[in-house]
Amino acid sequence: MATLSADIIGAAKVVVLKIGSALLVEQGALREVWLKSVADDVAMLKAEGKQVLVVSSGSIALGRGVLGLAAGVLPLEQAQASAAVGQIRLARAYQEALQPHGIETAQVLLTLEDSQDRRRYLNTRATLNALLGLDVVPIINENDTVATDEIRYGDNDRLGAQVASLIGADVLVLLSDVDGLYSANPRIDPEADHLPEVQKITREIESMAGDAGTSGASGGMRTKLMAAQIAINAGCAMAISKGERMHPVKGLLSGDRCTWFRASGDPSSARKRWISAMKMAGVVVIDTGAARALREGKSLLPAGVRAVEGDFGRGDPVEIRSVEGDLVAKGLIGYTAEEAGKIMGVKSADIEARLGYTGRSALVHRDDMAI
Ligand code: GLU
């Protein structure tokens, strides 16, 4: 039987799975059998030709068990210490669960700010893309030992959405302890209706998630809605699903209850809109050959650049104009203005000789460009 989840996930090329602590860790110990079943699901998605990224919580829950810390809310530094102890185990658990499927894993620790700083954003994106290109499944968590904000329940929902947005994923699945959004808190109101699909996050939808101050009471639904908004804006559909059962993704595909937040556009056009709307930090003037190449969907190489204007940093948005002054494209540039000035007109193979270090071959990568 075709289900909505099977339609949406079936059509996806890039899938992000976000796994909550409560699913992965029980009384300080890892739920190994369950994790193995998730690894089976990841292998199934990969066998269908999809790229998969996992955003996993659980480092603090695992670490505090190892350290024998008392129950209840931990002081920040103890939570961060627990994360450091738990993360090493968490990463190993994924590695051990996926290796029997012949799948390599990588540990990637990010902070929520990484996607706000453009330079770090570009680096993170390039590294994740490289890992996916090498057929690796990145296992991502917040870098809790350096995070400056308090670690909040639900941060990884937003981190999952930011990763999905940054990598241009089509689908984000939150495997959590709730099977979706209800018209009221189902723990309090037995009459609450389950919503299988949400097209737009309206005031009414927000009110169903409860107040910010009582987010815990509705199972962290507020942060899940924040995550959904980030995902939708990036052209990525998001599901809130209950991941407790074995093979939770297979379960979804065969019709397990969940709430889908549908994106109106696709990730690539959402990204182009996002780039186009930015405040431009400079101009790169290119020759006719480069303008033609860009229109054919190629990246901008330093060889085609005639002039560089403005004082921009790496990752800043720039206008790309023809020598006649026509706007050809807008894009995020991979070099600073100073570097771009040094390598303009230079063949990619000679970049290192000019700069004294290796940079990226493209000045503006085609994925970071809106024509
Ligand atoms: N990063 C935290 C951990 O791994 C979890 C944060 C969250 O659950 O949202 O323990």
Side-chain angles (χ1 to χ4, degrees), residues 18-22 56-62 79 82-83 87 90 141-144 151-159 223:
K18 186 266 163 177
I19 297 174
S21 302
S56 181
S57 306
S59 66
I60 297 174
L62 272 179
S82 299
Q87 181 60 35
L90 187 66
N141 195 1
E142 179 151 18
N143 192 350
D144 289 322
I151 303 158
R152 282 184 303 265
Y153 170 64
D155 279 353
N156 274 9
D157 292 332
R158 278 191 297 155
L159 186 68
T223 57

Side-chain angles (χ1 to χ4, degrees), residues 20-31 34 57-59 61-62 90:
S21 302
L23 296 175
L24 205 57
V25 186
E26 204 170 37
Q27 287 168 351
L30 194 76
R31 289 178 66 213
W34 180 81
S57 306
S59 66
L62 272 179
L90 187 66

